[in-house]
Amino acid sequence: MKKLIEVIQDEMVKAFTAAGMDASFARVSVSNRPDLCEYQCNGAMAAAKTYHKAPIQIAETVVSAVEDHSVIGEIKAVKPGFINMKINPAFLAEYLSDMQKDPDLSVEKTTNPKTILVDYGGANVAKPLHVGHLRSAIIGESIKRMGRFMGHHMIGDVHLGDWGLQMGLIITELRERRPDLVYFDENYEGEYPKEAPFTISELEEIYPCASGKSKEDEAYKERALNATLELQQGRRGYRALWNHIMHVSVTDLKKNYDNLDVHFDLWKGESDVQEYIPGMVDYLRDNGYAHYDQGALVVDVKEESDTKEIPPCMILKSDGAALYDTTDLATIIERMKLYHPDEICYVVDKRQELHFIQCFRCARKTRLVDEDTVLTFIGFGTMNGKDGKPFKTREGGVMRLERLIGEINEEMYQKIVENRSVKDTDARGTAAIVGLSAIKYGDLSNQASKDYVFDVDRFTSFEGNTGPYILYTIVRTKSILERYAKEGGKLKKGEILAPAGESEKSLMLSVSRFNGVVENAFEEKAPHKICAYIYELANEFNHFYHETKILSEEDQARKDSYLALLDLVREVLETCIDLLGFSAPERM
Ligand code: ARG
C-alpha cells in the first residue's frame, strides 16, 4: 500500500499543479506541532521566491485549490505561509481497514530483491561467548529479519573465528596434560577415535588456562604458535583434534544462539577459506597489486584524500602466515563465487573499522569484489557497565553470555512472580521470553554505533522505554481479545470506523506510519528506529486504553471497531518485535 503521507502528498501535488505551480513544492511532512495539525507543507515559502509573491498568498491559493476533502479533511493557510492539514477521519479509518486486510500489513515488498549477505555473530570457536559478541548477534539478526521482511534474499553467516591461535593453545595445553593421547603420536597412521577427548566444560576451562600460561611463559607461547602453524599446514593428529574442538564447540554455540533466537543460514568460518589463499596470493602478486615490504606481502590501500594514515593491507606475514586481512579477503572471494551477493554487510565492533576500511579498499582495488557489489560496515559501540567501562561480572571478570542471560531471567522471574495475580504454570518460560526482550530491546533501542550502558534494573522494568513494557502492552491487547472471545464475541477485522476521540485518532495515525517506518529502518539498517516507533505506538495505545471503555461499549459497531483497531495494534507490535528478534508471551 502507498504510504499515507504519500497519498496526502499526491493531493498537494494536484493542488499546486491546479494553482499553476510546480509539483516539487508539494512536499508534505508529519507535523512537528501535533496540537495544530497532523501534516504540514512548507512549499509555499520556497514557491514564494520562484513566483515573486508573498508566501501566505501562495499558501492561500493552494488551499483554495483543494476541492475534494475526502483525503485531506481540513486544510489551512497560516502566516507566514505554512499549510496545515488534518486528515479526513473517515479516510484514515479506511486506510487502517485496508491495512488490516492486507497480508503484508501495508508494507510494499521490494520490486528489486537483492541478495544480501550479513556477516554477524563472529564467535570464536573454543572461546566462551561473551557480551562482546552479543551485540553483533542481536543487531545482525534484526537487520537480516528486516531485509527478509522487505523481500530481499538475506543470507546470515556466523563467520566463526576457527583458525587462529586459540586452536594452537588448546592443542598445546592438551598435550601438556595428556601427552600419551594418540593425536600427538607423529607415527600413528590409524583412524582417530570418534569421541572427543574432552567435554565442552573441559574445553572452556582449557582455553583460559592455556591463554593465561602463554602470557607468562614465552616458550609455551612459542609451542602454541608452532602448533597453530602445524595445524594449518595439515598435521593429521592436530586436524583430528581440531575437528573434535569444532564439533564440541559448535554444538554449544548453536545452543547459545538458539537461546538468543538468533539463527544463521551458514555456519562457515575462517578455516573454510584456507583453500582460496594460495591462489589469491598468486593473483595479487602476479597482477602487481601486492608487493613485499620488509618480508611481508602487502597491498597499499591509502588514498590521496585520507586525513589519517591508512596502513597497507597485510596479505602474508614475513614467515608466510596468513592474517585476519587474508582470511577476510579470501572470504570475499568465496562469497562472490558461491552467492554473488549484491551486498555484504559486516556487523562487527566499531573498533575493527580500520581493518574493514583496509579490506574493502583492497578488495575493490584488486577486483576481488564485483564493481556493483556493495560492502557495508556496521560498526557497533561497546556495551558498558554502569561504571562506564566495558561490561564485567560483579567480580570484575569477563561476563559470559550464558551467565548474563541467566541473571536477567532470574530478575524477570522474581518480578513476574511478584506482579502476578493469576498463577502462571510456566513462570520460568515466561521469564525467559521477557528476559530476552529486555536484553535485545535494551541493545537495539540505541543507535548501533553508540556505546551504551547495560543497566539491568532499567532494562527489566515494566515501565518506560523497555522491552518488557512493549511486551506488557502486547499482552494487554491479547488479554482483552481473549476476554472478548470468551464472551462469545467475534473479531471483525477490517471494519474500523472513523475515530470517536482524540486519543483514538492519534493512535490510528501512529498505526498508519508502520509501513514507512519499517521501510526506512531497513534502508538505514537502523533497528533503533523500529524501537522508537513501537515505544510511541505502545504509549499511544495505553493512552487510548485508559480513556476508553472497550468491552463495555454499548454500540456494537463501535465496539467491533475498537477491537479491530486493538487487534491491528497487536499485529503491528508483534510484527515489529519479530523484526527486532524477540516475541511476546501469552500472559505476563
Ligand atoms: N571473530 C571476530 C572477533 O571475535 C569477529 C569476526 C567478524 N567478521 C569478519 N568477517 N571479520 O573479533
Side-chain angles (χ1 to χ4, degrees), residues 119 122 124 133 159 324 328 346 348 352 356:
D119 178 315
N124 297 317
H133 291 111
H159 196 72
Y324 195 35
D328 263 325
Y346 298 80
V348 185
Q352 293 192 22
F356 284 99

Side-chain angles (χ1 to χ4, degrees), residues 301-461:
V301 293
K302 59 172 186 269
E303 286 168 7
E304 248 174 55
S305 55
D306 288 343
T307 50
K308 62 172 194 226
E309 169 92 14
I310 307 290
C313 213
M314 291 276 262
I315 309 300
L316 293 178
K317 275 206 295 196
S318 49
D319 64 2
L323 298 129
Y324 195 35
D325 289 350
T326 328
T327 44
D328 263 325
L329 289 167
T331 305
I332 291 180
I333 298 181
E334 185 186 54
R335 288 174 177 166
M336 292 310 298
K337 183 174 144 200
L338 300 184
Y339 314 108
H340 314 288
D342 296 293
E343 179 172 352
I344 309 174
C345 172
Y346 298 80
V347 186
V348 185
D349 192 313
K350 75 177 173 201
R351 286 170 291 191
Q352 293 192 22
E353 183 169 18
L354 180 59
H355 162 74
F356 284 99
I357 292 178
Q358 292 170 300
C359 286
F360 290 0
R361 284 187 182 182
C362 181
R364 285 255 169 262
K365 173 174 170 177
T366 64
R367 301 178 185 279
L368 293 181
V369 62
D370 280 2
E371 218 167 320
D372 39 19
T373 295
V374 180
L375 299 173
T376 324
F377 174 65
I378 304 201
F380 51 82
T382 309
M383 176 173 146
N384 288 323
K386 274 189 185 167
D387 57 0
K389 297 199 193 105
F391 198 82
K392 292 264 159 63
T393 59
R394 252 171 257 128
E395 304 79 50
V398 175
M399 180 63 119
R400 297 265 314 268
L401 200 55
E402 265 179 305
R403 172 159 167 204
L404 175 85
I405 295 174
E407 285 182 9
I408 298 266
N409 289 356
E410 186 55 38
E411 179 93 21
M412 278 331 320
Y413 177 74
Q414 299 302 345
K415 280 197 185 168
I416 287 171
V417 174
E418 266 167 41
N419 268 3
R420 162 114 339 165
S421 43
V422 280
K423 226 176 163 35
D424 188 341
T425 44
D426 185 24
R428 289 269 168 209
T430 306
I433 297 174
V434 185
L436 191 62
S437 83
I439 296 175
K440 287 196 166 183
Y441 191 93
D443 190 307
L444 294 171
S445 52
N446 302 284
Q447 204 177 317
S449 61
K450 299 216 168 104
D451 296 351
Y452 76 98
V453 173
F454 193 87
D455 182 339
V456 179
D457 295 334
R458 189 164 77 74
F459 289 4
T460 56
S461 168

Side-chain angles (χ1 to χ4, degrees), residues 487 548-555 559 562:
E487 284 172 11
T548 316
K549 301 227 176 318
I550 299 176
L551 289 178
S552 54
E553 170 62 49
E554 286 179 1
D555 175 347
K559 182 169 168 181
Y562 283 157

